[in-house]
Amino acid sequence: MALTRAAIVGAGLDILDRYGLADVSMRRVADALGVQAGALYYHVPNKQSLLAAVADEILADALGPGDHPSLEDWVTAWAHTLRRALLAHRDAAELVASTRALGLGAVDPCADGRERLAVGGIAEPSATMAALLHFVLGHVTQEQTAAQMAALGLTPAPEPTAADRDFAWGVGLVVRGMTTAAA
Amino acid sequence: MALTRAAIVGAGLDILDRYGLADVSMRRVADALGVQAGALYYHVPNKQSLLAAVADEILADALGPGDHPSLEDWVTAWAHTLRRALLAHRDAAELVASTRALGLGAVDPCADGRERLAVGGIAEPSATMAALLHFVLGHVTQEQTAAQMAALGLTPAPEPTAADRDFAWGVGLVVRGMTTAAA
DNA sequence: ACCTGAACACCGTTCAAGT
DNA sequence: ACCTGAACACCGTTCAAGT
């Protein structure tokens, strides 16, 4: 079977899930596909763009939390949907955060929310969604690294419900601030 | 002059400021000190702990925004003080974020705030400070990578006041949420 | 105790050469 | 057009050997 960009991205995602972000190297991806490392550069310009494509695939699962009665409910559901999509893949939050910091990645998880907030008359939709995204990525990154440290036995296993509670609290904080008029 | 842990951390911070996080390698730090890379391991257990020490030195400049009339003002000042300390060193936000995700670093920038919120009767002081820290680190990381991309000419220079406005907005969002009772 | 020199097992990326 | 093989310039970490 011919080497394709999709196959390369798929192999990258597979290695991410199995061994973590640190092990997603051009050589490892090439090995998994039975090909030389240099061959990848015919289909992908560099490692960063490969990682960005993997991040996009992960984010594609987080699109559309559906319809909700209120804007607050929609935003809250959006945050939880995004978190679930990130928790489905090892180191996904860290990967998405660094990809977005570099301005790479085609999928913008905030696009839908920005429009809905604007239509709903919420002030600063862009800054608001950005703030919420920063919280989600930061929280889930910490969650995922803590899980791996615990898996290695370097850290006592954290209480599983604590992360859920703190996440919900943080989302509520931003959502309440969003619907409260600025001073 | 003898090689010391403090000199190693200082050289690391210097390379960070001059060349960025990606260039802070054990070999580069050793070179700057006129020493072999292996020599560092006599004073520092590994690269991560060296980076954690550099992160601690950066955070040490962000301690104590002083006293403020209200709790809201104090928290707001804390966020802005932390941002300024991070902006003073290249890639500092990314460095602090990854150090804290790994549970390394002796300095806890949230410690003071947690206590003040608890005394002030604010609910969930720990989750609240964590949420605000995630926002600050995420925002400043994006700010610093955008600045570097612009410096390389890969991206048009962003409007300098936009980052300030969005940061202030995000802080206000969390602070307002903090002082609004949960549903 | 402290540092050198050299090694081990890796990296991302490039590129002539083959098919 | 697409891939191999080999190279270039790096990594973090370890460790015998020197002083």
Side-chain angles (χ1 to χ4, degrees):
Chain A
M1 75 205 148
L3 188 59
T4 61
R5 193 188 135 93
I8 292 171
V9 175
L13 183 55
D14 195 56
I15 294 174
L16 180 73
D17 283 336
R18 277 217 255 270
Y19 308 101
L21 184 56
D23 284 36
V24 181
S25 70
M26 297 302 269
R27 283 174 151 95
R28 289 283 295 266
V29 171
D31 265 19
L33 295 165
V35 94
Q36 217 68 20
L40 302 182
Y41 289 85
Y42 205 87
H43 302 90
V44 155
N46 50 44
K47 188 189 177 184
Q48 275 303 341
S49 80
L50 165 52
L51 291 178
V54 174
D56 279 345
E57 204 151 296
I58 293 171
L59 285 177
D61 297 337
L63 291 185
D67 276 325
H68 282 79
S70 73
L71 212 49
E72 290 96 313
D73 285 351
W74 188 90
V75 170
T76 303
W78 172 84
H80 281 88
T81 301
L82 179 55
R83 175 172 178 245
R84 286 201 73 79
L86 293 171
L87 287 177
H89 301 277
R90 214 210 285 208
D91 293 332
E94 194 185 336
L95 170 61
V96 169
S98 71
T99 295
R100 288 204 54 82
L102 292 170
L104 304 177
V107 176
D108 180 1
C110 296
D112 198 6
R114 269 197 303 270
E115 226 168 290
R116 286 176 125 98
L117 293 192
V119 170
I122 299 290
E124 300 288 348
S126 180
T128 301
M129 287 305 295
L132 197 47
L133 180 63
H134 285 143
F135 166 71
V136 173
L137 292 177
H139 180 96
V140 179
T141 295
Q142 201 130 345
E143 228 177 314
Q144 291 187 308
T145 49
Q148 280 177 236
M149 304 271 289
L152 292 172
L154 302 174
T155 304
E159 213 186 321
T161 57
D164 294 352
R165 271 205 346 264
D166 287 357
F167 182 79
W169 184 264
V171 173
L173 219 52
V174 177
V175 170
R176 285 199 303 278
M178 174 183 97
T179 50
T180 307
Chain B
M1 71 203 150
L3 188 60
T4 60
R5 195 188 134 92
I8 293 171
V9 175
L13 183 55
D14 194 57
I15 294 174
L16 180 75
D17 283 337
R18 277 217 255 270
Y19 308 101
L21 184 56
D23 284 36
V24 181
S25 69
M26 297 302 270
R27 284 174 150 95
R28 289 284 294 267
V29 171
D31 264 19
L33 295 165
V35 94
Q36 218 68 20
L40 303 181
Y41 289 86
Y42 205 86
H43 302 90
V44 154
N46 50 43
K47 187 189 176 182
Q48 275 303 341
S49 80
L50 164 54
L51 291 179
V54 174
D56 279 344
E57 204 151 295
I58 292 171
L59 285 177
D61 298 336
L63 289 186
D67 275 325
H68 283 80
S70 74
L71 212 48
E72 291 97 313
D73 285 351
W74 187 90
V75 171
T76 303
W78 172 85
H80 282 87
T81 302
L82 179 55
R83 175 172 177 245
R84 285 201 73 79
L86 294 171
L87 287 177
H89 300 277
R90 215 208 287 208
D91 293 333
E94 194 185 338
L95 169 62
V96 169
S98 72
T99 295
R100 289 203 54 82
L102 292 170
L104 303 176
V107 176
D108 180 1
C110 296
D112 198 5
R114 269 197 304 270
E115 225 168 290
R116 286 177 125 97
L117 294 191
V119 171
I122 299 290
E124 300 289 347
S126 180
T128 301
M129 288 304 295
L132 197 47
L133 179 63
H134 286 143
F135 167 71
V136 172
L137 293 177
H139 180 96
V140 179
T141 296
Q142 201 130 343
E143 227 176 315
Q144 292 186 307
T145 48
Q148 280 177 238
M149 305 271 289
L152 292 172
L154 302 174
T155 302
E159 214 187 320
T161 56
D164 294 352
R165 272 207 343 266
D166 288 358
F167 182 80
W169 184 265
V171 173
L173 217 53
V174 177
V175 170
R176 284 199 302 277
M178 175 183 98
T179 50
T180 307

